[in-house]
């Protein structure tokens, strides 16, 4: 399993490219990018990655909007050397409130996944907590998305958000095993914690990752990603999380 660092974690510590040598020294070979890092100058960011001896196998693109923006994001991801592009969610005002809306989103994602595939890229959806929270009729958005989308629409399962949604992580890992191609190993403090938005470095939280390991291995995931939305000390999060995941998986790449 390859270990990557989501650069969104340290988005407030500028310049972002200045973080790359530190991350390489920690042990990372892979970075997961979010649009704010690269969209203004993807070629320049690619040079910074190359200079630091890092790559970006997974590239977040923008949330889906009314705009037909996929070709530009695909071009940027190709410049960055990405293998997978990821739609990272929806702002609250754009989230469908009913089943039909989620079906329409599934149809859109299916078309985008076909376009990405034809360009040589995988395509994935990254969850938050809202996909696991039932709609008024009891249906869960995550189930609608998976059931009504093409299998080319993969999942990057964020285990921390599954936990915060009150769902059982192991159950969801096994339910969507065939669709999961990446794992966000976001660790969590006890529910209700407000410090750092309830997140912790991997290995410091309440999620039992060792117990989840068989279910993680049963998915199609080849990438496990470190992320923390509001770290008090991003360098500690990066180092502690890498060490914890490397120990969990017995090294950087066990697949």
């Amino acid at each position: 399993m390859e270990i990557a660092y989501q650069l969104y974690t340290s988005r407030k510590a500028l310049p972002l490219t200045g973080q790359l040598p530190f991350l390489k020294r920690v042990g990372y070979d892979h970075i997961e990018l979010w649009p704010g890092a690269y969209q203004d100058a993807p070629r320049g960011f690619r040079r910074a990655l190359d200079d630091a001896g890092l790559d970006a196998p997974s590239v977040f693109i923008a949330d889906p909007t009314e705009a037909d923006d996929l070709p530009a994001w695909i071009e940027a991801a190709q410049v960055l050397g990405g293998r997978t592009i990821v739609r990272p969610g929806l702002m609250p005002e754009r989230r469908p409130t009913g089943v039909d809306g989620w079906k329409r989103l599934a149809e859109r994602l299916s078309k985008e996944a076909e376009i990405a595939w034809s360009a040589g890229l995988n395509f994935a959806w990254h969850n938050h907590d809202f996909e696991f929270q039932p709609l008024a009729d009891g249906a869960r958005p995550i189930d609608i998305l998976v059931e009504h989308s093409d299998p080319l629409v993969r999942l990057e399962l964020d285990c921390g958000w599954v936990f915060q949604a009150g769902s059982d992580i192991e159950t969801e890992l096994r339910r969507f095993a065939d669709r999961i191609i990446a794992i966000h190993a976001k660790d969590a403090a006890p529910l209700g914690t407000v410090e750092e938005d309830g997140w912790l470095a991997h290995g410091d939280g309440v999620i039992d990752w060792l117990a989840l390991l068989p279910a993680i291995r049963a998915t199609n995931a080849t990438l496990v990603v470190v992320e923390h939305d509001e770290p008090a000390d991003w360098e500690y999060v990066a180092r502690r999380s890498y060490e914890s995941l490397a120990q969990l998986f017995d090294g950087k790449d066990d697949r």
Side-chain angles (χ1 to χ4, degrees), residues 37-103:
Y38 68 83
Q39 61 185 345
D40 291 337
R43 295 186 185 280
F45 207 93
R46 172 63 186 271
R47 286 194 295 272
L49 287 170
D50 290 344
D51 289 347
L54 296 164
D55 65 15
S58 180
V59 178
F60 273 28
I61 62 177
D63 295 348
T65 66
E66 298 299 331
D68 182 16
D69 58 353
L70 192 62
W73 291 115
I74 286 176
E75 181 180 358
Q78 291 172 330
V79 167
L80 291 161
R83 301 194 299 264
T84 298
I85 56 175
V86 184
R87 287 284 195 193
L90 286 167
M91 294 300 290
E93 65 273 12
R94 292 192 54 81
R95 295 172 192 169
T97 57
V99 172
D100 288 345
W102 285 102
K103 287 182 179 179

Side-chain angles (χ1 to χ4, degrees), residues 9-248:
T9 300
S10 44
R11 66 196 180 278
K12 298 178 182 178
L14 299 176
L16 295 174
T17 53
Q19 302 171 14
L20 301 180
F22 167 80
L23 292 168
K24 181 66 176 181
R25 291 194 299 272
V26 168
Y28 292 97
D29 293 321
H30 313 292
I31 302 297
E32 184 175 65
L33 296 176
W34 109 100
Y38 68 83
Q39 61 185 345
D40 291 337
R43 295 186 185 280
F45 207 93
R46 172 63 186 271
R47 286 194 295 272
L49 287 170
D50 290 344
D51 289 347
L54 296 164
D55 65 15
S58 180
V59 178
F60 273 28
I61 62 177
D63 295 348
T65 66
E66 298 299 331
D68 182 16
D69 58 353
L70 192 62
W73 291 115
I74 286 176
E75 181 180 358
Q78 291 172 330
V79 167
L80 291 161
R83 301 194 299 264
T84 298
I85 56 175
V86 184
R87 287 284 195 193
L90 286 167
M91 294 300 290
E93 65 273 12
R94 292 192 54 81
R95 295 172 192 169
T97 57
V99 172
D100 288 345
W102 285 102
K103 287 182 179 179
R104 287 192 294 272
L105 178 60
E107 292 170 2
R108 173 181 176 159
L109 297 179
S110 296
K111 294 175 183 177
E112 292 186 338
E114 291 177 2
I115 294 169
W117 184 257
S118 68
L121 296 169
N122 294 313
F123 181 90
W125 178 264
H126 174 87
N127 68 278
H128 292 77
D129 55 349
F130 61 88
E131 295 96 332
F132 292 85
Q133 294 166 346
L135 303 172
D137 67 354
R140 301 193 313 169
I142 189 65
D143 298 321
I144 300 168
L145 281 178
V146 171
E147 181 180 355
H148 293 278
S149 64
D150 189 284
L152 287 175
V153 179
R154 309 295 190 170
L155 295 177
E156 180 180 71
L157 194 76
D158 190 314
C159 295
W161 280 119
V162 172
F163 172 81
Q164 286 211 351
S167 293
D168 182 74
I169 300 172
E170 181 177 1
T171 298
E172 306 300 349
L173 284 165
R174 296 195 181 279
R175 177 178 287 125
F176 302 118
D178 291 343
R179 298 289 280 268
I180 295 170
I181 62 169
I183 301 287
H184 261 224
K186 186 186 290 183
D187 215 338
L191 291 175
T193 301
V194 297
E195 292 82 9
E196 299 184 62
D197 276 0
W199 306 119
L200 291 169
H202 189 278
D204 288 350
V206 298
I207 296 175
D208 188 346
W209 296 99
L210 187 60
L212 291 175
L213 192 56
I216 291 173
R217 291 187 186 278
T219 71
N220 286 320
T222 58
L223 190 70
V224 59
V225 184
V226 169
E227 187 184 31
H228 186 310
D229 288 357
E230 295 291 343
D233 182 344
W234 74 267
E235 291 182 339
Y236 171 79
V237 169
R239 184 184 296 108
R240 167 67 171 138
S241 297
Y242 182 86
E243 292 171 351
S244 178
L245 284 167
Q247 182 178 15
L248 183 68

